[in-house]
Amino acid sequence: MKTKAVRLYGKNDLRLEEFDLPQIREDEILAKVVCDSLCMSSYKATHEADIHKRVPRDVAEHPVIIGHEFAGELVEVGSKWSHAFRAGDKFSIQPALNYGNGPVGILSAPGYSYRYIGGDASYVIIPNEVMANGCLLKYTGAGYYPASLSEPLSCVIGAMHANYHTTPGSYLHHMEIKDGGHMAILAGVGPMGLAAINYAIHRTDRRPKQLVVTDIDQVRLDRAELLYSPATAAQNGIALKYVNTGAMANPVDELKALTQGKGYDDVFVFAPVAPIVEQADGLLAFDGCLNFFAGPAKADFKALFNFYNVHYAYTHVVGTSGGNTDDMKEALAMMGAGLDPAGLVTHVGGINAVIDTTMNLPSIPGGKKLIYTHIQMPLTSITEFETKGKEHPVYAELHRICTAHNGLWNIEAETYLLTQNYELNF
């Protein structure tokens, strides 16, 4: 079986290549990748290469396939796993295996560490350890992109599960956000912030009574409010408010005033910016939990923290990096039940767009960039479909379909795109 894949050879050295996959062993599975959602983590791995903790030291000699937010369908199942999976099953993968025998040990992950599996490929071989760790997950919902986006959604699910609160006089930690509490999501209208809003207002087991989302980009705030409106949140008992802190003289005081001065029980930081971390610290209520969600690119990232409040007001900080397998299962179950993550997607492209997009991801505006790996198509914003449709009928039809779905990517658009000639160069 030949595959076409984007492989990492070294720092800033990505190559789109076609090569033969080996015959699968009895404990492996051959799979077709349909789509992959590009992630900042791939940008970091590309720029760090062999010093990245998940990338093998010998990547120059044994290149790895990048991409870890992917979905597709199984093609051939080795005999060891034929009791659990069958050809035609749709799947997603939890990339954080926590498996000690992978190429880089316990931090091994598809999309970083393996020669024959990663999301930016047409076909891959799923190694035994993925199944052995319960990380090959079936998806029974419509389409493919929701399953691809279940990985980023699992990251925000894991973050909210990782928060904790205490009982004075006791050493017990009560895991989770505070039910009926005040929550703030700072720098919260990027792709991952949107996923957090979507999850927070639609989960059924516990919810904040107030959710305040901040940013300094009014255009992105307006889009977030259109996608996840205060009216929708109110139907689920949540008072949702979008706030532009760029116009505030004293953001901490003004944001705390929205809680009558009490502060916030759960504060999530979605940008690795020291002033935002310090702002989050200032917003914490008694026993407030600060979750530093955003992963910094620099190993010496630091910010001030009020340790007087740590001692006397029980404030505390946690950090999460990715979700676990249970978080992925929760995400897939919510997708299968109808939770649509389409609001995260702003651009669509083919496998030929992966290298430039990954290398320049921080400078490309918008949300998630969704790649269909069997298609040749430049990275294209959904807002560009109308203009490009004047010269290409496929774009014109994509514009028509997305317009009928409130300007969002959707299952109908995906289905249409996947019926086009895979080698068509848009």
Side-chain angles (χ1 to χ4, degrees), residues 376-395:
Q376 300 285 325
M377 174 183 177
L379 187 73
T380 307
S381 168
I382 294 171
T383 60
E384 296 180 294
F385 287 167
E386 181 177 16
T387 300
K388 290 195 172 187
K390 295 175 182 177
E391 297 184 359
H392 200 295
V394 171
Y395 285 120

Side-chain angles (χ1 to χ4, degrees), residues 4 32-34 73 122-123 144 350-352 372-377 414-426:
K4 185 177 289 186
K32 174 184 176 181
V33 177
V34 174
E73 62 183 50
S122 54
Y123 292 90
Y144 293 92
I351 196 168
N352 56 307
Y372 287 93
T373 61
H374 291 261
I375 289 173
Q376 300 285 325
M377 174 183 177
E414 177 182 80
T415 302
Y416 169 74
L417 185 61
L418 292 176
T419 63
Q420 303 309 298
N421 185 344
Y422 283 170
E423 297 303 319
L424 183 64
N425 191 352
F426 284 46

Side-chain angles (χ1 to χ4, degrees), residues 8 20 232 317 338 353 372:
L8 176 66
D20 289 314
T232 299
V317 61
Y372 287 93

Side-chain angles (χ1 to χ4, degrees), residues 202-220:
H202 286 105
R203 64 185 300 191
T204 57
D205 55 337
R206 61 174 58 222
R207 300 172 176 141
K209 69 179 179 183
Q210 181 187 47
L211 173 57
V212 175
V213 180
T214 76
D215 207 273
I216 58 173
D217 186 327
Q218 192 59 49
V219 172
R220 297 209 305 177

Side-chain angles (χ1 to χ4, degrees), residues 307-385:
F307 280 89
Y308 181 90
N309 286 340
V310 170
H311 191 84
Y312 289 107
Y314 296 84
T315 59
H316 44 276
V317 61
V318 300
T320 51
S321 178
N324 62 26
T325 304
D326 286 338
D327 300 326
M328 279 280 288
K329 290 178 179 177
E330 183 178 348
L332 288 167
M334 293 183 76
M335 304 292 192
L339 181 73
D340 192 345
L344 278 68
V345 179
T346 57
H347 295 69
V348 178
I351 196 168
N352 56 307
V354 170
I355 294 176
D356 285 345
T357 304
T358 301
M359 294 285 288
N360 298 287
L361 201 54
S363 62
I364 303 174
K368 278 290 185 182
K369 284 70 182 176
L370 188 62
I371 298 296
Y372 287 93
T373 61
H374 291 261
I375 289 173
Q376 300 285 325
M377 174 183 177
L379 187 73
T380 307
S381 168
I382 294 171
T383 60
E384 296 180 294
F385 287 167

Side-chain angles (χ1 to χ4, degrees), residues 1-5 17-21 65 121-124:
M1 170 70 73
K2 285 191 178 294
T3 187
K4 185 177 289 186
E17 301 172 316
E18 188 173 46
F19 54 93
D20 289 314
L21 292 173
I65 301 175
S122 54
Y123 292 90
V124 298

Side-chain angles (χ1 to χ4, degrees), residues 26-213:
E26 64 177 15
D27 62 352
E28 296 177 328
I29 295 177
L30 176 69
K32 174 184 176 181
V33 177
V34 174
C35 58
D36 177 59
S37 171
L38 301 188
C39 177
M40 274 294 294
S41 295
S42 293
Y43 166 83
K44 295 172 187 174
T46 298
H47 285 263
E48 293 180 2
D50 60 351
I51 67 171
H52 191 283
K53 293 185 183 298
R54 294 190 185 276
V55 177
R57 303 291 83 88
D58 64 348
V59 67
E61 293 77 32
H62 299 105
V64 297
I65 301 175
I66 66 167
H68 59 274
E69 299 177 359
F70 59 104
E73 62 183 50
L74 306 184
V75 175
E76 181 182 351
V77 179
S79 59
K80 178 178 178 179
W81 297 106
S82 60
H83 67 284
F85 303 98
R86 63 182 60 187
D89 285 349
K90 293 198 291 187
F91 74 92
S92 184
I93 282 180
Q94 160 59 267
L97 302 182
N98 293 328
Y99 186 83
N101 294 330
V104 294
I106 196 169
L107 292 176
S108 293
Y112 300 89
S113 317
Y114 288 88
R115 297 177 65 186
Y116 300 124
I117 182 172
D120 293 314
S122 54
Y123 292 90
V124 298
I125 294 177
I126 306 175
N128 176 67
E129 52 261 39
V130 173
M131 286 73 75
N133 280 268
C135 293
L136 178 59
L137 306 175
K138 293 181 183 180
Y139 171 64
T140 59
Y144 293 92
Y145 76 84
S148 178
L149 293 170
S150 66
E151 197 282 334
L153 180 60
S154 79
C155 296
V156 300
I157 291 174
M160 294 195 188
H161 292 339
N163 269 32
Y164 72 91
H165 297 280
T166 65
T167 301
S170 166
Y171 299 114
L172 293 177
H173 288 180
H174 307 287
M175 302 306 298
E176 263 286 4
I177 63 170
K178 186 172 182 179
D179 195 22
H182 296 280
M183 178 190 292
I185 300 176
L186 309 187
V189 290
M192 297 306 293
L194 293 176
I197 299 165
N198 196 11
Y199 176 66
I201 66 175
H202 286 105
R203 64 185 300 191
T204 57
D205 55 337
R206 61 174 58 222
R207 300 172 176 141
K209 69 179 179 183
Q210 181 187 47
L211 173 57
V212 175
V213 180

